[in-house]
Amino acid sequence: MKIWKYIEYILLVLSLIIFIVFFVVNPTTQDAPMLDGYLGWAYILLAITLILALGFPLIRAFKSKKGIIGLLALIIGVVVICGGVYMLAPGTAIDVNTETTAQTFKFTDAALYLTYLFIGASVVAVIWSIIRSAIKN
C-alpha cells in the first residue's frame, strides 16, 4: 500500500512543477505550447481520477446482489439528475469568436448547472458529516 502514497506524491510534485512553470512562462496566446502541456496534464489527471472513481465502486458493487442493485440505482439517479439539469438549462446564446450551435450552448449551460449542483452537494455533505460526527461524539 505504500506504493500508492509514493504515486500520490509523484503526481503532486509533477503537478506543482507544471503549475509553477505555466505561470512563469505566462502564455499570452491560445497557441502557446505550454498551455497545451498544461491542459494535457489536466486531462491525464482527470482520466486517472475517472478511472479510479469509477473502478473501485464497480469492483465493490459486483461482490453482492445488494451492491449491484445500489449501483443500478446510482446510475439511474445520475441519469435522471443529468436529464433534469439538461431540461432546465436555458441554452441562451452568448457572443463568442467561433460558430456554435444552440445545442452547444444548451450543453455548456447544463454542464455548468451540474457543476454548481455537485459543488453544492459536496458542501452540504461536508457540513452534514461534521454535524453528524459532533452528534455521535
Side-chain angles (χ1 to χ4, degrees):
M1 284 307 236
K2 274 192 163 188
I3 191 158
W4 292 110
K5 285 289 182 193
Y6 294 131
I7 291 173
E8 286 176 12
Y9 291 137
I10 290 170
L11 289 174
L12 178 66
V13 168
L14 284 173
S15 296
L16 286 174
I17 290 170
I18 291 173
F19 179 78
I20 291 168
V21 169
F22 177 76
F23 285 104
V24 167
V25 172
N26 194 14
T28 54
T29 65
Q30 291 182 351
D31 297 330
M34 188 60 213
L35 182 61
D36 292 338
Y38 195 66
L39 288 174
W41 182 249
Y43 292 143
I44 290 170
L45 291 177
L46 179 66
I48 291 170
T49 302
L50 286 175
I51 289 169
L52 293 176
L54 296 175
F56 286 123
L58 285 175
I59 291 170
R60 282 185 50 205
F62 289 111
K63 290 184 178 179
S64 69
K65 281 187 178 182
K66 187 177 179 181
I68 294 173
I69 292 171
L71 178 65
L72 289 175
L74 177 68
I75 290 171
I76 291 170
V78 168
V79 168
V80 167
I81 289 172
C82 290
V85 167
Y86 185 79
M87 296 291 202
L88 291 174
T92 54
I94 58 170
D95 292 329
V96 291
N97 294 336
T98 60
E99 291 293 324
T100 54
T101 63
Q103 187 69 19
T104 303
F105 289 125
K106 182 100 170 155
F107 180 76
T108 54
D109 286 349
L112 284 171
Y113 283 2
L114 273 175
T115 303
Y116 301 150
L117 178 73
F118 290 145
I119 289 172
S122 299
V123 169
V124 169
V126 168
I127 292 171
W128 173 250
S129 68
I130 292 170
I131 293 171
R132 187 172 164 203
S133 67
I135 291 172
K136 277 187 173 181
N137 294 333

